[in-house]
Every structure is written in structure tokens, then in C-alpha cells.
Amino acid sequence: MICLETERLILRDYREDDFDGYYRLKADAKTMYYLQDIQLFTKEEAYEDFRKVLDDMSASGRKFYFLHIELKDSHEQVGSIGYTVMDDTPVGKIVHAGYFIYPEFWGKGYTTEAFRRVLKYAFSENSVYRVSTGCLAENAGSERVMQKCGLIKEAEHIDYEWHDGKMKTRLEYRLLKREWEQANTEAR
């Protein structure tokens, strides 16, 4: 079971008793505005999704490393963060990262704090070679998290994605293990 800590947060694998919080989070329209393709609408579909998450955690070829985020002091749910393994190559895992955080926690540094810890886990403990992620260009807060965590912009896809009734530009970011190691060596 994964359980990571930061100064203010606990990031951990989901447990059976997290279902209600998982459903509330993934059904919240404002939280999931930029992730409408994985938003949940009924308890039934949420339960099916949640079961997949729990079952995958014990699988030998685990694919989903999304963690429940909570405040250390109050244990209040902040959101979810992590990555999906897209490929497992001889040099390491290729993963796609993401996060969805309740709006009341936006702009307080929680997502950056959590993402930095997830990157450390990925590169130093979980044989990850490459992390990729992205966001719509209008989602400046999400892009800023990527930048503050040292990710490198790889692409800007103009009018790439249909979202909320119009075509929108998508930004793609990446971080390789050697880039993460170099940045963390320089920071010491």
C-alpha cells in the first residue's frame, strides 16, 4: 500500500471506506470541469470505477497509481493525484499523470506539493522513466503546477480538443527521470 507524506498532506492508496469521498470528488462538476471524460454521474458507475481502482492496486501489473489526497491535520479530502502506466519498457515505465482537486483548495500550493511528491515516488521508487501530462491552455493554474514541478513543455496543439461547446488548445508537458534527477541534484 502506497502512503506518501508532504509537509501538509497525506497521499495514499484508496481504501474500501473511501467510496463516498471518491464518488463526491469525481461527480463534482466544478472539480471535473477539465476532465469531463472521466467525470462520474451515478453511484452505480462510481462504484464500478472504484472497484477497478481497488482491484488494480493488488494486480501484479498495476496500471493505476492515483492516490487519495487529504490534509494531514484534519484528514479532509483535497482531491486525487497520480498516474496511469501507459507502457512498461526495458528502461522504465512510461506514465500519464493527472490530478483533480476540489476548488476550495486551488491556489494554495497543495497540488504542487502533492505532484512534487508523486514525481519523487515515481522516479525514485517506482521505476518510472517518463511522465507526460497536459491541460487545456485556458487552465493556467494546472499549467503553472506543471511548470513549478519542473516539467518541460513539449507541444501546443491549436484547436485540438472539443470542450464545453468549442475547440480548445491543448498543452503537453513531460519530465524524464534524468531531467528530474538533474534538477534535484542542482537544488541541493
Side-chain angles (χ1 to χ4, degrees), residues 10-11 26 28-29 33 41 59 74 77 93 96 105 109 115 117-118 121 126 130-131 145 154 158 160 163 180-181:
I10 296 170
L11 293 72
K26 288 194 75 176
D28 185 84
Y33 177 73
F41 297 96
S74 67
Q77 182 184 30
K93 296 174 182 139
H96 185 79
F105 298 107
F115 196 34
R117 184 63 184 96
V118 166
Y121 170 79
N126 197 27
R130 177 188 170 93
V131 172
V145 167
E154 283 195 310
I158 308 299
Y160 183 78
H163 180 264
W180 178 83
E181 289 171 339

Side-chain angles (χ1 to χ4, degrees), residues 45-103:
E45 69 178 345
Y47 185 75
E48 188 177 312
D49 191 61
F50 189 64
R51 284 277 18 122
K52 287 179 187 173
V53 168
L54 293 180
D55 291 345
D56 182 68
M57 285 172 19
S58 59
S60 61
R62 183 173 177 173
K63 297 283 183 206
F64 305 108
Y65 289 85
F66 274 84
L67 306 172
H68 167 88
I69 308 170
E70 63 185 49
L71 296 177
K72 256 188 188 176
D73 57 0
S74 67
H75 298 286
E76 182 180 2
Q77 182 184 30
V78 173
S80 186
I81 193 163
Y83 53 86
T84 301
V85 177
M86 308 307 287
D87 196 8
D88 196 351
T89 74
V91 295
K93 296 174 182 139
I94 310 293
V95 304
H96 185 79
Y99 36 82
F100 32 106
I101 309 297
Y102 281 119

Side-chain angles (χ1 to χ4, degrees), residues 1 42 56 62 70 111 116 130 132 136 139 141 143 179:
M1 177 164 215
T42 67
D56 182 68
R62 183 173 177 173
E70 63 185 49
T111 310
R116 281 187 178 132
R130 177 188 170 93
S132 63
L136 294 180
N139 191 353
E143 182 181 20
E179 294 165 337

